[in-house]
Amino acid sequence: MRIGLGYDVHRLVAGRRLVLGGIDIPFDKGLLGHSDADVLVHAICDAVLGAAAMGDIGLHFPDSDLRFKGISSLKLLASTTSMITKAGFEVGNIDATIFAQAPKISPYRAEMQRNLARTMKIDPDCINIKATTTEGLGLIGEGGGMAAMSVALLT
Ligand SMILES: [Zn+2]
């Protein structure tokens, strides 16, 4: 068994879609990034790659590469899963937390878990998504961005 940790932050700006866990969430701002900037999926990719000692998301999917411009981060997670599977690992479980002042994440949580489970070809019970605000404090509390943190256990 091996454990990995992932952490990611993206800026919130007007004129972008807000995509979290592969779901388009109605909101007046979206996360800025080269891909769809799905901060949750990026943290999970990094946790999975970390557990496999296979570097990080920036190494495998560099933001200088036009192939990844605007790409759904679920595709990056699918590639990550196939890389670690080829290396002989299986995802045991994922636990992740989204840090966002708004919007409310709880209505989307079950669908996010299903999306991620389908992408990683594991049972939805093996994924837990949580969300918290930062009580109005700091960059995230003031609505300047969102962050996500994840751990992954590989067997
Ligand atoms: Zn990211």
Side-chain angles (χ1 to χ4, degrees):
M1 280 195 296
R2 301 176 57 130
I3 192 166
L5 171 70
Y7 178 71
D8 194 28
V9 186
H10 282 265
R11 204 176 276 278
L12 263 177
V13 296
R16 288 268 304 182
R17 294 155 62 208
L18 176 61
V19 183
L20 288 172
I23 299 172
D24 263 286
I25 296 178
F27 194 52
D28 60 349
K29 290 189 210 166
L31 295 171
L32 183 63
H34 184 67
S35 63
D36 64 2
D38 190 328
V39 70
L40 172 64
V41 172
H42 292 180
I44 293 172
C45 285
D46 265 353
V48 169
L49 289 168
M54 291 174 76
D56 63 20
I57 192 169
L59 175 73
H60 298 284
F61 314 108
D63 63 9
S64 55
D65 191 328
L66 285 176
R67 280 180 303 160
F68 307 126
K69 189 164 167 53
I71 196 172
S72 163
S73 295
L74 287 182
K75 287 190 181 154
L76 307 183
L77 183 61
S79 298
T80 299
T81 306
S82 96
M83 275 190 269
I84 62 115
T85 305
K86 277 187 197 125
F89 295 109
E90 251 178 70
V91 178
N93 78 296
I94 302 283
D95 184 26
T97 301
I98 300 167
F99 301 83
Q101 195 60 37
K104 264 211 153 337
I105 304 298
S106 53
Y108 306 102
R109 206 162 59 178
E111 195 184 341
M112 284 179 191
Q113 286 172 187
R114 282 196 299 272
N115 265 350
L116 297 168
R118 195 170 50 237
T119 304
M120 287 189 280
K121 301 188 174 80
I122 57 174
D123 201 278
D125 288 357
C126 299
I127 301 185
N128 191 61
I129 306 295
K130 308 180 296 300
T132 185
T133 69
T134 59
E135 300 283 348
L137 297 169
L139 169 95
I140 292 165
E142 287 159 11
M146 286 185 186
M149 197 180 277
S150 175
V151 287
L153 190 78
L154 301 188
T155 57

